[in-house]
Amino acid sequence: MSGVEVITFGCRLNTYESEVMRAEAEKAGLNNAVLVNTCAVTGEAVRQARQAIRRARRDNPHARIIVTGCAAQIESAAFAGMPEVDAVLGNEEKLKSASYRRLPDFGVSAEEKLRVNNIMSVRETAPQMVKLIDGHVRAFVQVQNGCDHRCTFCIIPYGRGNSRSVPMGAVVEQARKLVESGYCEIVLTGVDATSYGADLPGKPSLGQLAKTLLKQVPEIRRLRLSSIDSIEADDHLWDLIADEPRFMPHLHLSLQHGDDMILKRMKRRHSAADARAFCGRVRDLRPAASFGADMIAGFPTETEEMFANAGRLAEDCGIAHLHVFPYSPRPGTPAARMPQLDRALVKERAGRLRETGKRLAEAHLVSMIGREEMILVENNGLAHTENFTLVDAAGLKPRDLVPVTITGHNGKHLTMRPVTAFSHN
């Protein structure tokens, strides 16, 4: 092979950072290399990264394989010990061209492969500029990194460090560059995006940032948040939900569970009532809004009644896009030391919660029939409505915003017909 290939796992922030990595590696003159940007959110994510590394070596026997990302940050020695790996870079180092210039030669020891700093020592997030997000019609913009919270199940702060924000001016400049490159939709992303600004002068909020972005870059047609912690929603964010048509009516919530005792044991800061109140207020302001959410099934000490409360919350909030994770203990987290459920029971409950998600998704699809929607066409023959519902858009041109009438659904996606006269209802 020639050039630099990047294999990305995990979140939208990783997707954004992969483009930075590619640019910095190429700037450093790196060639014939595979960069693997890993995720550590679950044990399965780490396993998949190891599989991808072994496959990359089989497919590219003479290439350099460089591993980075959250799993590499947290388990750096384990990845350095893999014979397929030539170097391991930390989450700070992966974004610097100098890291790719100082790579060790082939055949070095595991210790010499390591280029991993103590991520907790990082106090700032340097602005990064990219002109495109490979393979995506929506552009991701990093606004924040790291997390100051310590949920008992989560290992990510140890891969990302403490919360730190990108200065507002740099976010505006990055968005402007991406719009100039042809993107009409911008997605603001971070590890804990709603904590944005607490470490910056004047402590601007995420809502203030979004307002400023839409004012300073009026060419942005659609603005989204990748995910939010609803308990941190500020007044400026509520203003956008109520009054700004360019702020898309879809919010992905970090719910994690629906039982108050489990939420406390997770060290979450919201209650089930908080989540219901948030979703109700959003729908009062934007009736067409939809919600996605992450939920964990089989958390330690979860009883059948507690599990039922999780499904009940998903139903009460009308979660259209439910992402269910069977709990998996992450070494080093408090939850890993709690009384564990039998793995078969964890998987069985995850399956039941996914069935709830399927019912809610179908109900949402039915509710969309007959609506007029403006869809953004993706590269794969699908498109997204403003409330992030997938539409079968075969034959339409990628990156186009197209007005359509929703005619039905096929169980997974909406079906549509294009319209010439469009009046958003």
Side-chain angles (χ1 to χ4, degrees):
M1 65 173 290
S2 62
V4 176
E5 177 187 350
V6 185
I7 301 171
T8 306
F9 292 90
C11 62
R12 291 182 176 95
L13 181 55
N14 253 15
T15 298
Y16 176 82
E17 289 177 336
S18 286
E19 295 306 322
V20 178
M21 288 163 47
R22 187 195 309 275
E24 295 300 310
E26 290 174 350
K27 186 190 304 182
L30 190 66
N31 192 29
N32 190 28
V34 179
L35 312 184
V36 184
N37 198 6
T38 64
C39 172
V41 71
T42 63
E44 175 63 16
V46 178
R47 187 189 69 80
Q48 290 177 1
R50 292 181 180 279
Q51 278 188 330
I53 291 165
R54 296 185 183 105
R55 185 165 54 250
R57 173 56 71 212
R58 290 195 301 270
D59 295 343
N60 306 281
H62 304 297
R64 285 192 173 189
I65 295 182
I66 300 146
V67 182
T68 184
C70 289
Q73 178 74 45
I74 295 165
E75 302 179 30
S76 54
F79 281 98
M82 294 181 67
E84 297 88 356
V85 174
D86 296 299
V88 178
L89 301 182
N91 264 333
E92 181 187 21
E93 291 76 15
K94 72 181 183 182
L95 304 176
K96 299 176 180 179
S97 61
S99 300
Y100 300 100
R101 294 192 191 99
R102 295 199 300 264
L103 289 173
D105 293 330
F106 289 98
V108 298
S109 68
E111 291 76 16
E112 292 173 291
K113 293 179 183 180
L114 289 171
R115 300 288 189 276
V116 181
N117 185 25
N118 174 11
I119 198 68
M120 293 301 178
S121 69
V122 181
R123 294 289 178 262
E124 296 180 347
T125 290
Q128 306 290 341
M129 294 291 168
V130 300
K131 291 185 178 180
L132 60 87
I133 311 294
D134 188 44
H136 291 266
V137 302
R138 291 170 289 131
F140 308 127
V141 175
Q142 179 188 7
V143 303
Q144 180 272 347
N145 204 339
C147 186
D148 289 339
H149 310 303
R150 295 295 182 265
C151 297
T152 58
F153 58 85
C154 186
I155 198 72
I156 296 304
Y158 305 99
R160 288 287 181 176
N162 291 317
S163 182
R164 50 209 188 273
S165 307
V166 179
M168 193 177 293
V171 176
V172 171
E173 182 60 25
Q174 171 66 103
R176 184 176 286 118
K177 285 183 179 295
L178 288 163
V179 169
E180 289 171 355
S181 296
Y183 291 96
C184 62
E185 182 170 309
I186 300 294
V187 183
L188 303 184
T189 186
V191 175
D192 180 27
T194 34
S195 70
Y196 177 84
D199 56 326
L200 296 177
K203 299 187 184 302
S205 67
L206 180 65
Q208 284 176 289
L209 171 65
K211 279 185 177 179
T212 300
L213 198 55
L214 289 168
K215 182 179 180 180
Q216 296 293 327
V217 192
E219 299 84 2
I220 295 174
R221 302 280 297 278
R222 292 157 62 131
L223 181 68
R224 293 191 190 277
L225 305 181
S226 61
S227 65
I228 69 166
D229 195 338
S230 60
I231 204 72
E232 292 183 315
D234 65 281
D235 288 343
H236 295 282
L237 192 56
W238 285 114
D239 290 344
L240 290 168
I241 292 168
D243 301 322
E244 176 52 74
R246 291 183 294 161
F247 186 81
M248 294 294 96
H250 171 263
L251 295 168
H252 188 86
L253 311 176
S254 181
L255 291 183
Q256 308 305 343
H257 212 275
D259 180 83
D260 285 343
M261 180 56 71
I262 292 294
L263 288 168
K264 287 181 180 178
R265 289 171 180 165
M266 288 178 164
K267 288 191 71 174
R268 301 296 297 166
R269 290 166 299 143
H270 67 272
S271 66
D274 292 330
R276 288 183 175 91
F278 177 85
C279 293
R281 184 178 176 187
V282 170
R283 284 215 170 91
D284 285 343
L285 296 171
R286 296 285 284 275
S290 75
F291 299 102
D294 297 325
M295 277 199 171
I296 296 172
F299 187 80
T301 77
E302 180 189 75
T303 65
E304 185 63 27
E305 181 181 358
M306 292 170 173
F307 169 74
N309 285 336
R312 193 171 295 119
L313 180 65
E315 291 178 348
D316 290 349
C317 291
I319 303 299
H321 315 283
L322 185 63
H323 298 263
V324 177
F325 298 88
Y327 172 77
S328 62
R330 304 295 285 125
T333 60
R337 300 189 294 273
M338 296 179 184
Q340 305 292 307
L341 302 188
D342 181 78
R343 293 308 302 168
L345 179 59
V346 171
K347 291 180 180 179
E348 188 269 338
R349 285 182 178 171
R352 277 194 281 157
L353 193 54
R354 289 190 181 109
E355 286 301 315
T356 297
K358 287 180 182 178
R359 292 197 307 273
L360 292 170
E362 183 170 358
H364 173 68
L365 292 174
V366 170
S367 74
M368 295 287 291
I369 296 172
R371 287 185 54 84
E372 289 184 351
E373 290 287 333
M374 188 72 77
I375 62 172
L376 177 61
V377 184
E378 308 277 352
N379 292 318
N380 57 359
L382 298 174
H384 281 101
T385 64
E386 291 186 351
N387 67 10
F388 209 61
T389 310
L390 276 172
V391 182
D392 188 339
L396 298 182
K397 183 181 176 183
R399 286 204 181 196
D400 276 359
L401 279 170
V402 181
V404 301
T405 297
I406 303 304
T407 57
H409 73 87
N410 60 14
K412 291 186 177 180
H413 315 131
L414 295 169
T415 57
M416 60 80 198
R417 65 170 180 269
V419 298
T420 53
F422 181 72
S423 59
H424 202 297
N425 54 27

